[in-house]
């Protein structure tokens, strides 16, 4: 899955993002917050299509890699790594791997090594960081 939106980084000020995003979404994607488990729009959503970055439209995940992890957040076992960057996150007195949008630096969630095969990965993503496009 190597599809990219563009090669240039999208850079906006905090005020510009605040004007474009609802406050709850801003707190998740720009301030590295999270939505409460089992409350996100896409947590129990399984329509065919693509999941894109809410902030910039970069393709992140395909619906055929989405599964019910029981974690309370949308989970995927594979990702479009040309649009996702991984960073070490040591917040909350633990070490995790944060995933962010490579195009605009939006916080998406975290990736864990407890997912199903074939990858063994679980991309645990906030619904607020995603937009969905139906399969055409």
């Amino acid at each position: 899955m190597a599809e990219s939106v563009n090669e240039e980084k999208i850079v906006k000020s905090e005020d510009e993002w605040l004007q474009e995003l609802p406050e709850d979404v801003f707190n998740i994607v720009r301030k590295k917050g999270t939505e409460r488990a089992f409350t996100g729009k896409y947590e129990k959503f399984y329509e065919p299509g693509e999941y894109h970055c809410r902030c910039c439209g970069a393709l992140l995940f395909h619906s055929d890699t989405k599964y019910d992890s029981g974690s309370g957040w949308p989970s995927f076992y594979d990702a479009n790594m040309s649009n996702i960057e991984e960073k070490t996150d040591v917040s909350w007195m633990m070490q995790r791997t944060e995933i962010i949008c490579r195009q605009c630096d939006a916080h998406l969630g975290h990736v864990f090594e407890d997912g199903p095969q074939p990858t063994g990965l679980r991309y645990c993503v906030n619904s607020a960081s995603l937009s969905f496009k139906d399969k055409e």
Side-chain angles (χ1 to χ4, degrees):
M1 189 188 316
E3 303 161 49
S4 184
V5 171
N6 64 47
E7 297 300 319
E8 288 192 36
K9 191 87 148 172
I10 296 169
V11 179
K12 296 181 184 181
S13 70
E14 193 168 288
D15 286 338
E16 289 173 307
W17 285 118
L18 268 169
Q19 289 175 12
E20 291 180 23
L21 301 169
E23 188 175 346
D24 59 332
V25 173
F26 175 84
N27 287 329
I28 291 169
V29 297
R30 307 314 313 173
K31 296 295 186 181
K32 301 181 187 273
T34 191
E35 56 203 12
R36 289 178 309 152
F38 304 103
T39 64
K41 178 178 181 177
Y42 299 118
E43 197 263 328
K44 294 288 185 196
F45 181 85
Y46 294 99
E47 297 300 315
E50 300 173 336
Y51 293 86
H52 295 256
C53 176
R54 167 85 180 260
C55 295
C56 72
L59 175 62
L60 303 171
F61 305 98
H62 287 288
S63 61
D64 57 357
T65 67
K66 189 171 188 296
Y67 72 101
D68 185 357
S69 68
S71 67
W73 287 273
S75 297
F76 303 84
Y77 64 79
D78 198 9
N80 181 8
M81 293 308 293
S82 64
N83 287 334
I84 292 179
E85 186 176 338
E86 296 181 358
K87 292 189 172 188
T88 300
D89 176 0
V90 293
S91 63
W92 301 94
M93 297 182 356
M94 64 179 101
Q95 184 171 327
R96 301 176 290 174
T97 302
E98 177 189 13
I99 53 174
I100 65 170
C101 176
R102 193 178 300 275
Q103 300 291 329
C104 69
D105 292 332
H107 171 74
L108 306 171
H110 294 86
V111 61
F112 302 95
E113 295 180 349
D114 61 0
Q117 293 304 317
T119 65
L121 299 173
R122 173 173 54 99
Y123 292 89
C124 187
V125 184
N126 290 291
S127 289
S129 68
L130 301 172
S131 64
F132 180 78
K133 292 186 182 175
D134 289 331
K135 188 174 183 178
E136 295 176 3

